[in-house]
Amino acid sequence: MSNDSQGLVKGEAAVRAPPPLGSASSQGPPLSPSSTSKPPELPDELVQAGWAKCWSRRENRPYYFNRFTNQSLWEVPVLGQHDVISDPLGLNAAPAEGGGCVPGNGQRKRRISEEQGAGPNSIKRVKVEPTTPISPSTAGVKPWNSTTEEKPAQPATPTTPSPAPAVYRPAFIYWDLDLQTNAVIREHPPDNNLLPPHPEIELQRAQLVTKLRQHYHELCHQREGIDPPRESFNRWLLERKLIDKGHDPLLPSDCEPVISPSMFREIMNDIPIRLARIKYKEEARRLLFRYAEAAKRMIDSRNASPDRRKVVKWNAEDTMNWLRRDHSASKEDYMDRLEHLREQCGPHLTAVAKDSVEAICSKIYQLSAEYSRRLRQTHLSLLQDPPTEASASPQQSRLVYCYPVRLALPSPLLPRVELHFENDMACLRFKGEMVKVNRGHFSKLELLYRYSCIDDTRFEKFLSRVWCLLKRYQVMFGSGANEGTGLQGALPVSVFEALIRQFGVSFECFASPLNCYFKQFGSAFPDIDSFFGSRGPFLSFRPVSGSFEANPPFCEELMDAMVAHFEELLDKSSEPLSFIVFVPEWRNPVTPALTRMEASRFLRHQLNVPAYEHEYRSGSQHICKRDELYYRAVHGTAVLFLQNDAGFAKWAPTPERLAELLAAYRPSQPASLSSPGPAPNTPGEKDSTPKTAERTQSGVISPVSHDDNNNTNSNTTPPTNTNNSCSSSSSSSSPQEKMAAV
């Protein structure tokens, strides 16, 4: 059958060579594999299992082809026949209808979740199912449900058929992987700079990143006497990767300047003490006293000029004397006094700590560059065909629908990863390192892998790549309680459905395989995410037309780069192009990205959703409990529509469409969890948030320990996706101080 031309009746073929499009819009819409498809001639069950009816020119007769297994049959396939991959001889297959022999030429769609189904010789387990190797074709490997105490498996006979394993179906679906994209790009060659993922390298990278976090923690303690600002390391990774020219997907190694503005700003914000929100008058009094005491102690212990030391000590002592005299002040009086003290002492404390904080930033970057170099050398030694210098490829002229990033280098043989299930969690283990994902998201990853991966149709590398994927995001999140959940926050399902119906959205600019709603999305790690549908980092993605949802991580540097990229794309394209952007409504001070979008000539409408009147899906949705899936946003969200003329004509934000979008944003439950994230007010400022926020939480701060305030300095509340958030301003009232405790 290899010489037959396969004319698929229905099905989404793997994108090996994307179809060309017309150079002008008058030549019709972009070509799609399904644009010329005929009505299906097979049952829906067979079509979903990957079967399609084709025509053989050589034999002049129809045949049936499975796009998942590349299997061809002359006869109509029977749903429920055995899997020739895991059971080549059909020993465990049920007999075909009307016959007594075991069919040997049929194969149904293979699901990883089906391989754990119960058989006639399986033993009932409690909570934990037996460990599963990665390679089903490995010689000598026992069946999934076999143990040393079990009897040998008996072949299935017509009188004792073996029931087919039940397919795991998630009770709740938070994605729509059937929606086709309308994003059109220019065809590009496979990426020669990306190295294929490997569990050994991912494990070593995780160890080095953990070691780098420990160095950062020790330097902050030794040099400044503070705990590192919460999630500042995650934001440092994000800010560095925006300008990094190195090869490692996570560790920065080639950045200019070496001193990170994000890390420098966040450490400075915690000097001399860390600030957190407070509610009561006594807390405000203690905060003021501790700040004055810490400022005086710091200026005495540093090499400061006499003038600086005099100003700081005089203001600190004056504040302490005022606290001893006046015991009837209100909370607002204490906060006003604190703001005045910070204005007087802050510049002098920053000046004496500047060299020390810069040394911390420089040391962490140098260690990261060394770890990155070491990792790449080890990774290249594992590859069969090391990469060569990539030659400049000519500019492609064909327009195609967007497709996943392709790696030019072939993947080496991957080691075995073990799989077992504990209740509703899938547990993958490699060399004692375990990562977990719930069964619903494990099934989602399997579907994304089927749609996007073209080099592993037999799923022999699936578990290894899932382990690498989960480990990568686990390392980026960090190990603290609730740390990194804002990296993966997402819009509610109802909002996505409204965006699809009203504005034709079919692409997420900032997502990951774990939290994506569509099967086409942009993400931070194309080397591993591409096997699950990623189109690569969106700042490197250049669509010609389409409707996009942008919900970036709340990092000032990233949001500013995102707006510049959007305006460049809108200015160059004459095709319908639309970006619906969701960003935090920070006003004190206002963020540069929000100011730039509000002044953009492409802005068609702006919608503001008040704080506590909308919710988001948790960034840990792939492992958290169902009752922890949604949380209320503690700050307002600005929704901005950036469109060119053609995009505005096609997807105009009319009042009717906006009303449906707002209705979809309303929380489905009367009360839900609040989450760590930026709050709208800063210390000493008057409340400027809606009344709902004023009644819920106060806008003042107090010093707490790192363990007692897991949500301090964490701009990670709402729809952030693949990365973390950064401080919004270098001023003393930056959003780094606008943190809300859970």
Side-chain angles (χ1 to χ4, degrees):
M1 303 295 295
S2 59
N3 297 328
D4 298 342
S5 62
Q6 300 172 354
L8 298 182
V9 175
K10 180 180 179 181
E12 178 183 54
V15 185
R16 297 180 182 272
L21 304 179
S23 58
S25 59
S26 61
Q27 296 180 2
L31 297 181
S32 172
S34 61
S35 59
T36 59
S37 63
K38 301 177 182 179
E41 300 182 13
L42 292 174
D44 291 339
E45 293 79 7
L46 292 177
V47 174
Q48 294 175 3
W51 288 101
K53 186 176 182 180
C54 311
W55 185 262
S56 173
R57 296 180 184 177
R58 185 187 65 187
E59 300 293 335
N60 196 26
R61 57 182 289 194
Y63 70 98
Y64 302 89
F65 175 76
N66 192 306
R67 67 178 186 274
F68 295 142
T69 62
N70 292 330
Q71 184 182 6
S72 301
L73 297 176
W74 289 116
E75 304 298 331
V76 178
V78 178
L79 191 66
Q81 289 179 340
H82 75 282
D83 189 337
V84 298
I85 296 177
S86 60
D87 187 16
L89 301 180
L91 300 179
N92 297 323
E97 296 180 2
C101 61
V102 177
N105 61 346
Q107 179 184 1
R108 57 188 174 89
K109 178 180 176 182
R110 177 173 176 257
R111 292 183 175 89
I112 297 297
S113 57
E114 290 181 357
E115 298 182 10
Q116 289 84 35
N121 300 308
S122 62
I123 295 178
K124 185 176 181 180
R125 306 281 183 182
V126 178
K127 294 186 179 180
V128 181
E129 297 182 17
T131 298
T132 307
I134 177 175
S135 303
S137 58
T138 304
V141 176
K142 291 189 175 184
W144 293 50
N145 290 333
S146 64
T147 61
T148 55
E149 294 80 12
E150 291 180 349
K151 298 180 180 179
Q154 299 296 329
T157 62
T159 57
T160 60
S162 174
V167 180
Y168 178 81
R169 300 185 183 278
F172 301 94
I173 302 297
Y174 303 102
W175 50 83
D176 182 1
L177 305 184
D178 296 327
L179 186 69
Q180 301 301 319
T181 184
N182 56 18
V184 177
I185 62 173
R186 294 195 178 275
E187 185 182 6
H188 54 82
D191 197 320
N192 195 54
N193 295 321
L194 298 177
L195 302 183
H198 196 284
E200 291 280 1
I201 300 301
E202 208 58 50
L203 180 60
Q204 185 176 351
R205 178 179 290 113
Q207 295 169 348
L208 292 177
V209 172
T210 302
K211 186 177 180 180
L212 192 62
R213 287 181 185 272
Q214 294 174 351
H215 279 300
Y216 178 48
H217 191 275
E218 293 170 359
L219 287 173
C220 288
H221 268 284
Q222 294 172 1
R223 293 180 178 268
E224 300 302 330
I226 62 172
D227 288 328
R230 178 174 168 79
E231 298 204 30
S232 59
F233 186 86
N234 299 339
R235 287 184 285 273
W236 174 78
L237 287 176
L238 173 59
E239 182 266 335
R240 293 281 86 184
K241 294 307 291 184
L242 288 175
I243 59 175
D244 184 34
K245 300 178 182 178
H247 297 289
D248 193 85
L250 187 58
L251 290 170
S253 59
D254 187 6
C255 301
E256 186 65 35
V258 172
I259 306 300
S260 166
S262 171
M263 180 177 286
F264 180 86
R265 182 171 59 239
E266 294 193 42
I267 296 177
M268 282 298 186
N269 285 339
D270 276 10
I271 293 175
I273 60 173
R274 172 170 297 179
L275 304 175
R277 293 190 167 274
I278 63 173
K279 297 181 180 180
Y280 306 108
K281 167 185 169 180
E282 290 303 320
E283 292 178 345
R285 179 184 174 87
R286 287 196 299 269
L287 162 65
L288 181 57
F289 182 83
R290 291 188 59 185
Y291 188 93
E293 186 181 39
K296 182 180 178 181
R297 184 172 57 251
M298 178 179 176
I299 202 69
D300 285 336
S301 62
R302 301 297 178 97
N303 185 19
S305 65
D307 291 339
R308 295 187 186 279
R309 182 174 285 108
K310 179 180 179 180
V311 172
V312 173
K313 293 182 68 175
W314 185 88
N315 280 279
E317 291 173 356
D318 181 66
T319 300
M320 293 180 181
N321 293 332
W322 178 79
L323 286 171
R324 295 187 185 102
R325 291 193 312 266
D326 193 345
H327 297 277
S328 60
S330 65
K331 182 179 70 175
E332 288 73 18
D333 294 334
Y334 290 130
M335 298 313 300
D336 289 341
R337 188 81 184 198
L338 172 63
E339 186 64 23
H340 173 75
L341 183 61
R342 295 183 66 199
E343 291 176 357
Q344 297 297 320
C345 300
H348 304 288
L349 298 177
T350 300
V352 299
K354 180 175 180 293
D355 293 340
S356 176
V357 175
E358 287 182 347
I360 294 176
C361 300
S362 177
K363 181 64 175 179
I364 294 300
Y365 171 76
Q366 293 171 3
L367 289 174
S368 174
E370 171 61 24
Y371 293 164
S372 175
R373 183 191 60 81
R374 191 187 308 174
L375 271 176
R376 185 166 180 84
Q377 290 179 351
T378 307
H379 202 164
L380 291 176
S381 65
L382 293 177
L383 297 180
Q384 301 172 349
D385 300 321
T388 57
E389 290 295 331
S391 58
S393 57
Q395 182 67 26
Q396 302 291 334
S397 59
R398 295 202 311 170
L399 294 177
V400 297
Y401 283 120
C402 67
Y403 54 94
V405 173
R406 301 303 182 198
L407 277 61
L409 299 176
S411 178
L413 294 177
L414 300 181
R416 191 168 65 185
V417 170
E418 297 177 347
L419 169 70
H420 71 272
F421 292 90
E422 297 178 359
N423 296 330
D424 196 42
M425 301 297 293
C427 306
L428 294 89
R429 185 189 300 273
F430 174 73
K431 288 192 173 181
E433 291 288 330
M434 180 184 294
V435 292
K436 296 183 178 182
V437 62
N438 61 49
R439 286 199 177 195
H441 281 75
F442 186 75
S443 175
K444 173 190 178 183
L445 292 176
E446 181 187 1
L447 290 174
L448 289 172
Y449 195 77
R450 291 186 187 278
Y451 290 144
S452 306
C453 182
I454 61 174
D455 69 341
D456 185 28
T457 57
R458 297 172 63 89
F459 272 61
E460 294 175 344
K461 302 174 182 177
F462 172 69
L463 292 182
S464 292
R465 288 170 174 171
V466 170
W467 188 91
C468 291
L469 172 75
L470 296 174
K471 194 65 177 178
R472 176 78 58 85
Y473 282 97
Q474 182 189 76
V475 168
M476 186 176 182
F477 285 170
S479 57
N482 296 324
E483 186 176 1
T485 56
L487 293 174
Q488 293 276 83
L491 298 175
V493 174
S494 58
V495 176
F496 272 115
E497 292 174 345
L499 292 174
I500 295 170
R501 289 192 304 267
Q502 301 301 326
F503 302 101
V505 172
S506 65
F507 192 103
E508 293 172 86
C509 300
F510 301 92
S512 76
L514 298 174
N515 79 330
C516 64
Y517 185 82
F518 307 110
K519 64 183 175 184
Q520 49 274 344
F521 55 90
S523 68
F525 307 119
D527 61 319
I528 179 62
D529 294 346
S530 61
F531 297 104
F532 301 90
S534 173
R535 272 58 171 169
F538 194 80
L539 297 182
S540 303
F541 187 74
R542 310 189 67 83
V544 177
S545 67
S547 183
F548 301 84
E549 175 265 349
N551 184 16
F554 295 162
C555 168
E556 271 306 297
E557 290 80 0
L558 175 62
M559 290 193 292
D560 202 40
M562 172 197 72
V563 177
H565 187 59
F566 286 171
E567 290 186 331
E568 179 186 358
L569 295 175
L570 291 167
D571 186 59
K572 290 184 177 180
S573 177
S574 59
E575 300 294 327
L577 191 59
S578 171
F579 298 99
I580 304 178
V581 187
F582 297 78
V583 293
E585 193 180 7
W586 289 333
R587 296 293 180 182
N588 295 310
V590 66
T591 58
L594 184 56
T595 302
R596 184 170 180 175
M597 284 190 288
E598 290 177 338
S600 174
R601 66 186 181 92
F602 298 106
L603 179 65
R604 306 297 179 173
H605 188 80
Q606 180 173 347
L607 189 67
N608 296 322
V609 186
Y612 296 98
E613 295 184 13
H614 60 295
E615 61 186 9
Y616 293 96
R617 270 188 297 138
S618 170
S620 58
Q621 56 183 279
H622 59 288
I623 54 175
C624 71
K625 299 178 181 178
R626 185 165 171 258
D627 56 357
E628 301 173 353
L629 188 61
Y630 286 93
Y631 56 79
R632 295 287 177 91
V634 297
H635 59 76
T637 297
V639 184
L640 302 100
F641 294 78
L642 303 179
Q643 300 169 331
N644 60 7
D645 293 337
F648 179 68
K650 188 172 184 179
W651 301 297
T654 62
E656 295 78 12
R657 291 174 172 175
L658 295 174
E660 180 170 344
L661 179 61
L662 269 179
Y665 231 141
R666 296 193 186 99
S668 57
Q669 299 176 355
S672 59
L673 295 175
S674 294
S675 75
N681 299 328
T682 56
E685 293 177 347
K686 300 300 180 182
D687 293 341
S688 58
T689 53
K691 295 298 180 181
T692 305
E694 294 176 356
R695 292 193 301 267
T696 308
Q697 195 165 17
S698 173
V700 289
I701 51 180
S702 71
V704 292
S705 67
H706 181 68
D707 295 332
D708 293 338
N709 183 31
N710 288 331
N711 303 303
T712 305
N713 294 334
S714 170
N715 294 344
T716 56
T717 307
T720 54
N721 288 331
T722 60
N723 302 297
N724 208 340
S725 51
C726 290
S727 175
S728 297
S729 173
S730 59
S731 67
S732 61
S733 57
S734 65
Q736 272 303 57
E737 301 164 3
K738 303 173 184 177
M739 302 300 115
V742 175

